[in-house]
Amino acid sequence: MIEIRKMELSDTKAAAQAEKLCFSDNPWSEQAFVNELNNELTSYYIASDNGRIIGYAGFWNVSGEGDITNVGVVPEYRRRGIAGMLIKKITDSARALGLSSLTLEVRKSNIAALNLYTKYGFKVVGERKRYYSNREDALLMTLILE
Ligand SMILES: CC(C)(COP(=O)(O)OP(=O)(O)OC[C@H]1O[C@@H](n2cnc3c(N)ncnc32)[C@H](O)[C@@H]1OP(=O)(O)O)[C@@H](O)C(=O)NCCC(=O)NCCS
């Protein structure tokens, strides 16, 4: 059974393993997830299938605006709506915190992610030139929550 719930410190090892499967460029370590969970400005969720972590997503509360840090679903579980479930969860959570918006950066070439965020109402609001370590540009996408 697939479930979405808050990420706990006991999930950080598996979250880092999932992150490695999702991001080849500078994946976050287990310690990076621990640091995030220990920061009171963050909210992280995981998707699990009978206890196995198969996806995760999180955001920061930056002065009343949400900044999505990462969203990932392990390859074998993709195209089953799991990222959509995570996006809905973080949108509800950001609304409950009274945040005005959710913003994220996405590689221009990441069609799956661009389609995902567009499907859930995010709009391209800007560009960050040479944002990534390979100098690829990022698109800035925002969902207004008010
Ligand atoms: C992007 C990612 C999180 C999508 O996860 P997912 O669980 O497969 O997404 P969903 O099944 O919820 O798909 C939701 C929508 O996203 C879009 N989408 C997802 N994968 C896609 C793909 N391979 N090609 C085109 N569109 C895609 C579609 O619009 C899809 O809606 P649809 O199924 O009605 O067509 C996943 O591919 C991933 O982890 N990629 C690597 C990490 C990454 O790039 N994260 C985002 C960084 S900003």
Side-chain angles (χ1 to χ4, degrees), residues 22-23 71-74 77-85 104-107 110-113 115-117 119-120 132:
C22 292
F23 295 97
V71 178
V73 173
V74 299
Y77 280 87
R78 288 182 188 162
R79 295 314 297 260
R80 294 201 214 168
I82 291 165
M85 291 163 74
L104 55 91
E105 285 96 14
V106 55
R107 285 179 189 273
N110 193 346
I111 301 300
N115 287 349
L116 165 72
Y117 300 126
K119 180 173 172 181
Y120 289 94
Y132 296 101

Side-chain angles (χ1 to χ4, degrees), residues 95-142:
R95 276 210 177 90
L97 288 169
L99 305 191
S100 58
S101 60
L102 277 170
T103 295
L104 55 91
E105 285 96 14
V106 55
R107 285 179 189 273
K108 269 189 173 172
S109 64
N110 193 346
I111 301 300
L114 284 166
N115 287 349
L116 165 72
Y117 300 126
T118 301
K119 180 173 172 181
Y120 289 94
F122 288 72
K123 303 255 187 295
V124 174
V125 294
E127 227 176 282
R128 295 201 199 284
K129 289 283 178 199
R130 297 176 290 283
Y131 181 77
Y132 296 101
S133 55
N134 69 349
R135 301 176 65 78
E136 183 173 354
D137 297 345
L139 293 176
L140 206 60
M141 296 184 82
T142 292

Side-chain angles (χ1 to χ4, degrees), residues 51-96:
R52 179 184 167 200
I53 292 186
I54 54 168
Y56 56 95
F59 65 92
W60 280 62
N61 175 350
V62 183
S63 307
E65 295 178 6
D67 188 1
I68 296 181
T69 51
N70 51 13
V71 178
V73 173
V74 299
E76 66 206 270
Y77 280 87
R78 288 182 188 162
R79 295 314 297 260
R80 294 201 214 168
I82 291 165
M85 291 163 74
L86 286 161
I87 295 284
K88 276 195 195 132
K89 185 60 140 187
I90 60 177
T91 303
D92 289 348
S93 167
R95 276 210 177 90

